[in-house]
Amino acid sequence: MSRIRHASLGLALITATLVAATPPASADAGCACTTEEARLDRAAPQEILRRAGFDSVAPEFAGALAGAGSYREAEGIVARHGERLWRDAVDRAQGRRVRGDLSRDDDRPLYWARLGLTRELRSWRPEFALSGEARARLLDRLERSSRGQDAIRFPAGKGVKRILMTGFDPFTLDRDVRISNPSGATALALDGTWIRTADGTPARIETAVFPVRWQDFAGGTVERTLRDQLPKADLFTTVSQGRIGRFDIERFNGAWRGGFPDNENLSRTETVPVDDPATQPQWTATTLPYASIVAAHTGRFPVYDNTAVTEIPAGSSTPVARPDGPTPGSTARSGGGGDYLSNEIAYRATLLRDRLGLRELPGGHVHTPVLQFGAGNTDPATGAVTDPEFVRNRLDIIAQVRSIIAVAASR
């Protein structure tokens, strides 16, 4: 999710200008939905849902909501359907319950089905009184349960390592609504799975997925999900889509939001908002074993130790690109992972690590290659929602993230 030093930066910036000018959908425009939910009616999302067997998810949820006679009943319905959606998406990705002809590794059915649920909940008019605050609590419960954020369960006991990995939703959907995010696909593929480290120690991977929305991050979704889990973990890695044709282990994370529009077409240009800003550092650093990861053969894509940042040096007002990390007293303008939500989740997770006194806990950010369609399938208007190269690329990225995690857990 980097937007710097990227081969498609020019296109991304043009896209940002266009989508930022698009007004958000609203009830006043005849749609009781968000900008993100409004994309659901396009042809590609509907085809993805149908071909994955997830097209009945929202109607079934709407039917259940219609029978709710109280807030408590609605709360139970929301929790059950959110949890079931996450479980069904994980089961599909891991081959336990595959419907339709869409490849099982696809993360997009979860994304679009979730938007179907949130849109139904947002437009639901119950027979009992429901305040805006109460509806917001239901929406929050639905988001958390359908992202696996409240389903992280590490095994107890000794002799096992516990690994936490996070991914993201698809993004830049106004450029191409067919887009998939390999980090989200990896989260589904690895959730609840086991690997063995180099010395034979079993390791359990637990995962969650996060939205591509500035406001959710400002509201503390990362900290709320990770605060109780990091003390239990032996390793954590936040993962997102980054640059074309390469993996990056991001060495430094900066406390700056660069303004690229999110999935609601909203921009934020500011210091990353966190609790206790008076003690907020400008930079945090990875504690992943980057040298070992880069040296290992983990898959077909090259892996780099990325130390580049953009800073305003102490005593200056002009941003400067630094290839070897920040200088003392500088102000962040871009971490190695950019100035978008990839950088921000890495910053928040590593800051939380440090504030919890877990500075020796291995953790940091991994950027995957950009997931690309096949050479003849590049037109969003006429192209297919999937193709063999697209599937191969995603499967290879998933496998390589798993190998990178295995290397990191072996140190």
Side-chain angles (χ1 to χ4, degrees), residues 1 13 24 36 64 91-92 106 118 185 191 233 259 273 282 295 298 302 314 344 356:
M1 203 173 295
L13 291 176
E36 196 169 16
D91 285 347
R92 189 178 197 280
D106 205 312
T118 59
D191 186 54
Q282 285 295 302
T298 53
E344 184 159 333
L356 290 173

Side-chain angles (χ1 to χ4, degrees), residues 23 35 39-40 99 104 112 147 212 214 276 283 286 292 300 304 313 334 404:
T35 297
R39 298 187 186 100
L40 184 60
R99 294 171 292 173
R104 77 183 207 192
W112 292 113
R147 295 179 176 280
V212 183
W214 293 111
D276 195 10
W283 305 98
T286 190
S292 297
R300 71 178 171 102
Y304 295 91
S334 177
I404 287 171

Side-chain angles (χ1 to χ4, degrees), residues 236-253:
F236 73 91
T237 179
T238 54
V239 182
S240 66
Q241 179 178 255
R243 303 169 180 90
I244 292 175
R246 59 184 280 180
F247 276 86
D248 288 280
I249 312 302
E250 305 296 355
R251 188 86 72 89
F252 302 103
N253 318 298

Side-chain angles (χ1 to χ4, degrees), residues 77-336:
I77 290 166
V78 164
R80 287 193 300 274
H81 282 258
E83 291 163 4
R84 188 175 74 181
L85 176 58
W86 173 256
R87 185 174 61 250
D88 286 351
V90 170
D91 285 347
R92 189 178 197 280
Q94 297 180 16
R96 287 186 290 273
R97 188 166 178 252
V98 181
R99 294 171 292 173
D101 66 350
L102 203 64
S103 62
R104 77 183 207 192
D105 51 283
D106 205 312
D107 60 305
R108 297 172 297 175
L110 170 64
Y111 175 71
W112 292 113
R114 183 192 304 114
L115 288 175
L117 298 189
T118 59
R119 187 165 72 173
E120 292 291 349
L121 181 54
R122 205 179 305 277
S123 61
W124 174 51
R125 297 293 179 263
E127 295 182 358
F128 58 90
L130 183 69
S131 68
E133 181 181 350
R135 190 186 300 271
R137 289 197 301 270
L138 292 174
L139 284 163
D140 180 66
R141 182 66 182 272
L142 180 56
E143 285 279 345
R144 287 187 288 123
S145 61
S146 64
R147 295 179 176 280
Q149 293 176 0
D150 55 5
I152 298 169
R153 303 286 187 271
F154 285 122
K158 298 180 180 180
V160 59
K161 287 192 172 183
R162 300 160 184 85
I163 299 168
L164 182 60
M165 177 249 159
T166 69
F168 271 103
D169 288 346
F171 66 112
T172 63
L173 293 155
D174 286 330
R175 175 168 65 85
D176 188 342
V177 77
R178 305 173 300 160
I179 280 174
S180 163
N181 193 322
S183 69
T186 302
L188 293 175
L190 299 188
D191 186 54
T193 63
W194 293 82
I195 59 174
R196 286 200 175 271
T197 63
D199 65 0
T201 302
R204 170 70 169 252
I205 303 173
E206 291 287 315
T207 73
V209 173
F210 284 92
V212 183
R213 296 189 296 253
W214 293 111
Q215 185 55 47
D216 292 66
F217 275 56
T221 185
V222 174
E223 291 82 359
R224 181 177 59 184
T225 303
L226 303 186
R227 183 174 287 110
D228 291 338
Q229 303 302 331
L230 291 188
K232 305 172 188 175
D234 296 292
L235 170 76
F236 73 91
T237 179
T238 54
V239 182
S240 66
Q241 179 178 255
R243 303 169 180 90
I244 292 175
R246 59 184 280 180
F247 276 86
D248 288 280
I249 312 302
E250 305 296 355
R251 188 86 72 89
F252 302 103
N253 318 298
W256 185 251
R257 297 174 150 191
F260 191 77
D262 64 9
N263 276 350
E264 284 295 313
N265 290 342
L266 299 176
S267 298
R268 293 289 185 271
T269 304
E270 59 190 354
T271 299
V272 171
V274 297
D275 291 340
D276 195 10
T279 65
Q280 177 180 10
Q282 285 295 302
W283 305 98
T284 63
T286 190
T287 45
L288 290 173
Y290 49 85
S292 297
I293 295 171
V294 170
H297 176 69
T298 53
R300 71 178 171 102
F301 296 101
V303 183
Y304 295 91
D305 167 24
N306 185 27
T307 59
V309 301
T310 300
E311 66 174 14
I312 300 176
S316 176
S317 59
T318 305
V320 175
R322 300 281 190 194
D324 297 316
T327 56
S330 68
T331 301
R333 280 299 176 268
S334 177

